[in-house]
Amino acid sequence: MLKIDAHHHLWKFDAKEYGWIDERMGVLRRDFLPADLHKEMAAAGIDATVAVQARQTVEETRWLLELAGQNDFMRGVVGWVPLADPKVEGVIEKFAVNPKLRGVRHVLQDEPDENYILREDFNRGIRELTRHNLTYDILIFERHLPQTIRFVDQYPNQKFVVDHLAKPRVKYKAISPWREHMHELAKRQNVYCKISGLATEADHRKWTEEQLQPYIDTVLEAFGAKRVMFGSDWPVCLLALSYQRWVEIVAKTAGRLSVAEQERLWAGTAVEAYGLG
């Protein structure tokens, strides 16, 4: 069975360029490159990946695409472009000629404006993604779900992928209103969801598998395996667990599904959502 890691990062660490990696994240303060990733993939039985932006620069997008061109196991890239820039169309057109650019992401969770996702300048950029058949990855905290639902409703023909289950408050064992909002969002058939980044939303040292399970179960109930995909969020996941451990946790849940559903979760959903070749 083909297995795709639909969410990982790569970087040459620089404290200035990656300011979000602070002193408390010592394990992340080094280079993470394709060779390092491939070693983890091989040990965990993962065949291919989608690289996702970790820095909001076009230089990083260009670099990720170069790496994808050099490494066949990197099936696609979710990069960054200045979506709120009036000239973003030209930037997207230059990148879109590369077949490995499959999506775009903006770090909405860090925007001071809680309603940034509804801004007209940002949405003008989203309309350009639709025109170029590029998927948009939604990176938010659960408190942003109500405005995200309003946002998605404007684009019935645009594919969206929710990263990290919309970051529920796992650390506080809070399930509502996240659960209700995710069920509502899942009614939109053009929205997919990644089972990724969950342990890092819990207490990094004290989390348990039992604590994570209700969140995994909820997205499977809401979206179904047909619109859920696996992602490691490596190397960020290392703050809470190893690559191998996360694969094992997801595999336990996948084991309860039919073979066809397992094929969707491990690969088929990612292939569809990103149009992977």
Side-chain angles (χ1 to χ4, degrees):
M1 185 182 296
L2 177 66
K3 292 186 177 181
I4 296 175
D5 175 355
H7 196 108
H8 72 83
H9 307 288
L10 297 167
W11 59 69
K12 289 183 178 179
F13 181 70
D14 181 297
K16 291 182 179 178
E17 295 291 345
Y18 295 90
W20 60 271
I21 306 176
D22 60 34
E23 296 293 339
R24 297 168 297 173
M25 303 179 182
V27 69
L28 303 183
R29 296 173 72 84
R30 68 172 181 83
D31 294 352
F32 289 92
L33 299 171
D36 305 302
L37 173 62
H38 197 258
K39 182 179 178 181
E40 297 285 353
M41 292 168 56
I46 302 297
D47 304 295
T49 72
V50 176
V52 179
Q53 64 84 218
R55 184 160 67 100
Q56 300 205 130
T57 66
V58 292
E59 289 77 19
E60 189 206 38
T61 302
R62 191 175 296 115
W63 179 66
L64 289 174
L65 288 169
E66 288 174 1
L67 292 179
Q70 297 161 10
N71 296 275
D72 290 342
F73 68 84
M74 293 174 64
R75 294 278 189 91
V77 169
V78 175
W80 181 88
V81 297
L83 288 169
D85 190 315
K87 298 180 181 179
V88 70
E89 180 182 359
V91 179
I92 293 172
E93 286 180 348
K94 288 180 181 178
F95 281 128
V97 297
N98 189 317
K100 288 215 171 173
L101 182 72
R102 304 314 311 148
V104 166
R105 184 174 85 157
H106 184 82
V107 186
L108 287 165
Q109 66 176 26
D110 289 345
E111 289 292 348
D113 181 359
E114 293 283 288
N115 291 307
Y116 191 96
I117 199 169
L118 298 174
R119 278 174 38 166
E120 174 54 30
D121 53 356
F122 174 76
N123 278 267
R124 186 168 55 244
I126 295 294
R127 289 190 286 273
E128 288 300 321
L129 297 184
T130 305
R131 198 163 70 83
H132 287 87
N133 197 29
L134 293 171
T135 301
Y136 181 73
D137 266 45
I138 301 173
L139 177 62
I140 55 171
F141 290 117
E142 70 160 86
R143 67 176 183 270
H144 299 116
L145 280 167
Q147 49 269 56
T148 297
I149 292 168
R150 291 170 57 195
F151 162 72
V152 166
D153 279 345
Q154 300 177 68
Y155 305 100
N157 299 314
Q158 168 67 42
K159 287 188 289 188
F160 295 102
V161 177
V162 178
D163 291 346
H164 314 326
L165 298 81
K167 294 199 167 185
R169 292 170 294 146
V170 183
K171 186 175 182 179
Y172 305 101
K173 300 180 180 178
I175 195 77
S176 292
W178 171 83
R179 177 172 53 199
E180 292 75 19
H181 288 319
M182 290 297 277
H183 272 277
E184 178 61 34
L185 180 59
K187 292 177 182 177
R188 285 79 182 160
Q189 296 298 308
N190 56 324
V191 182
Y192 302 81
C193 185
K194 287 180 186 173
I195 298 181
S196 60
L198 195 56
T200 47
E201 294 307 306
D203 185 304
H204 292 175
R205 296 184 179 182
K206 298 179 181 178
W207 64 270
T208 65
E209 288 187 36
E210 292 72 25
Q211 187 181 5
L212 306 183
Q213 197 61 48
Y215 301 95
I216 297 174
D217 290 344
T218 294
V219 296
L220 279 169
E221 291 166 4
F223 291 87
K226 189 175 181 181
R227 287 188 289 132
V228 167
M229 68 189 83
F230 166 77
S232 69
D233 198 28
W234 181 91
V236 180
C237 68
L238 299 178
L239 294 169
L241 81 175
S242 69
Y243 192 107
Q244 178 80 40
R245 180 85 187 280
W246 181 237
V247 172
E248 290 171 354
I249 289 172
V250 175
K252 285 182 183 179
T253 296
R256 304 200 310 257
L257 305 175
S258 70
V259 173
E261 289 173 327
Q262 290 182 50
E263 289 174 343
R264 289 293 300 190
L265 187 153
W266 286 117
T269 301
V271 169
E272 179 179 292
Y274 291 117
L276 302 179

